[in-house]
Amino acid sequence: MAKKDRRSPQPAFVTLRDMPGTRVMFWVVDSCPYCGERHLHVAGNLRTADPGETLGEVPAPCQPERPYVLSLPPRPKRKNGKEERRRERRENKRDDWDEDSW
């Protein structure tokens, strides 16, 4: 197997923000995969544009010859702990009633 191509586009996770006092939206890359700095990319007009259309491969401002892929960060996995705790409480309540002897 060959080594991973280091020139392939790296993922860059973004957040959507608007500029106060204007109708312009920006995708903000908090940590560039190449230089570690913050970069801004125009996402369009606040009222008419769909910012999702501007996600994808774009050149990095710090190194224009190297692109990166603007993408939303992954959603955290749902924890099952709350449901399990509820189930345990229900079982404990049933056990308390069953153990009582009159």
Side-chain angles (χ1 to χ4, degrees), residues 16-26 46:
L16 185 65
R17 298 190 187 149
D18 61 336
M19 182 174 282
T22 67
R23 295 182 183 150
V24 180
M25 294 184 295
F26 290 97
L46 187 62

Side-chain angles (χ1 to χ4, degrees), residues 21-61:
T22 67
R23 295 182 183 150
V24 180
M25 294 184 295
F26 290 97
W27 287 116
V28 178
V29 179
D30 285 323
S31 179
C32 173
Y34 303 124
C35 68
E37 297 293 321
R38 178 179 287 175
H39 299 303
L40 301 174
H41 297 275
V42 177
N45 188 335
L46 187 62
R47 294 186 182 173
T48 60
D50 179 17
E53 293 175 357
T54 57
L55 291 175
E57 192 172 310
V58 296

Side-chain angles (χ1 to χ4, degrees), residues 7-97:
R7 291 290 181 183
S8 64
Q10 298 293 317
F13 298 121
V14 295
T15 55
L16 185 65
R17 298 190 187 149
D18 61 336
M19 182 174 282
T22 67
R23 295 182 183 150
V24 180
M25 294 184 295
F26 290 97
W27 287 116
V28 178
V29 179
D30 285 323
S31 179
C32 173
Y34 303 124
C35 68
E37 297 293 321
R38 178 179 287 175
H39 299 303
L40 301 174
H41 297 275
V42 177
N45 188 335
L46 187 62
R47 294 186 182 173
T48 60
D50 179 17
E53 293 175 357
T54 57
L55 291 175
E57 192 172 310
V58 296
C62 57
Q63 298 177 9
E65 67 277 358
R66 296 185 71 184
Y68 55 48
V69 179
L70 299 179
S71 59
L72 297 173
R75 290 185 177 185
K77 293 182 179 179
R78 183 175 177 228
K79 295 182 180 178
N80 293 333
K82 186 174 182 179
E83 294 296 325
E84 291 174 10
R85 287 192 301 266
R86 285 182 178 174
R87 193 173 303 121
E88 287 177 9
R89 280 197 305 258
R90 284 187 215 125
E91 289 175 5
N92 288 339
K93 287 180 181 179
R94 289 182 194 144
D95 293 342
D96 291 341
W97 284 101

